[in-house]
Amino acid sequence: MSSTAHPLPPTLDKIVQRFKRRTDPKQRYQQLLWYANRLDPMADQDKTPENKVHGCVSQVFITADLVDGKVIYHGDSDAQLVKGLVALLIEGLNELTPEEILAVTPDFIEETGLRVSLTPSRANGFYNIFQMMKKKALGFQLASQQA
């Protein structure tokens, strides 16, 4: 189990454990590329300004839908390693409730060992992608409270 302040959701914890087993930065990059290759394609019509992640050097887009109380994300990037980060986050956060997503803190990236392997701009991009996903989850939470 994760040593972060809040326990990680099971799927995200499994991803963190998978990265922790990779001691070589090259293996971590290969793992990220593996995630990138598994990411479902994103529809071009979803690549809009409101879905664009700001603060990323590469082009990154994230969409979110609420289905039966669970958030379903889709995303894409024009850079393979960043696409891997997007895929990692989508796989780790998909099908959680908005409340579960909002409880996740970004410190789990430290546990993956990726932070030391990422350039500062990629690490910042990762944080911005994560924050956008949380912002979309917060929007669903607020909408349900007002309903």
Side-chain angles (χ1 to χ4, degrees):
M1 190 52 125
S2 164
S3 65
T4 55
H6 297 284
L8 290 174
T11 305
L12 187 57
D13 189 55
K14 199 179 296 180
I15 292 168
V16 168
Q17 299 309 318
R18 197 175 287 152
F19 274 96
K20 282 172 99 170
R21 288 192 295 271
R22 311 278 187 268
T23 54
D24 178 14
K26 187 176 178 183
Q27 289 178 325
R28 290 188 193 120
Y29 278 137
Q30 288 171 334
Q31 186 75 38
L32 269 183
L33 294 173
W34 179 79
Y35 278 107
N37 290 330
R38 292 183 49 188
L39 189 63
D40 290 331
M42 184 180 205
D44 284 339
Q45 69 260 25
D46 289 335
K47 295 178 182 178
T48 62
E50 56 272 6
N51 292 330
K52 188 176 190 312
V53 177
H54 299 286
C56 289
V57 175
S58 45
Q59 298 284 316
V60 182
F61 297 92
I62 299 289
T63 63
D65 295 296
L66 193 64
V67 179
D68 297 327
K70 309 273 185 176
V71 181
I72 306 297
Y73 291 105
H74 294 281
D76 197 11
S77 175
D78 60 353
Q80 278 301 103
L81 282 176
V82 177
K83 190 174 190 170
L85 293 171
V86 169
L88 178 161
L89 284 168
I90 287 175
E91 187 165 321
L93 299 177
N94 249 2
E95 298 187 27
L96 296 176
T97 65
E99 294 75 20
E100 290 169 322
I101 294 165
L102 292 170
V104 177
T105 58
D107 53 355
F108 70 88
I109 190 68
E110 302 293 340
E111 288 189 63
T112 64
L114 280 169
R115 191 164 178 82
V116 294
S117 302
L118 296 175
T119 62
S121 66
R122 280 203 185 108
N124 188 47
F126 176 85
Y127 180 75
N128 290 330
I129 295 162
F130 180 68
Q131 287 305 112
M132 179 156 186
M133 292 173 85
K134 285 186 81 157
K135 183 178 170 185
K136 287 183 181 275
L138 179 62
F140 291 132
Q141 184 186 44
L142 294 174
S144 72
Q145 289 172 352
Q146 293 170 352

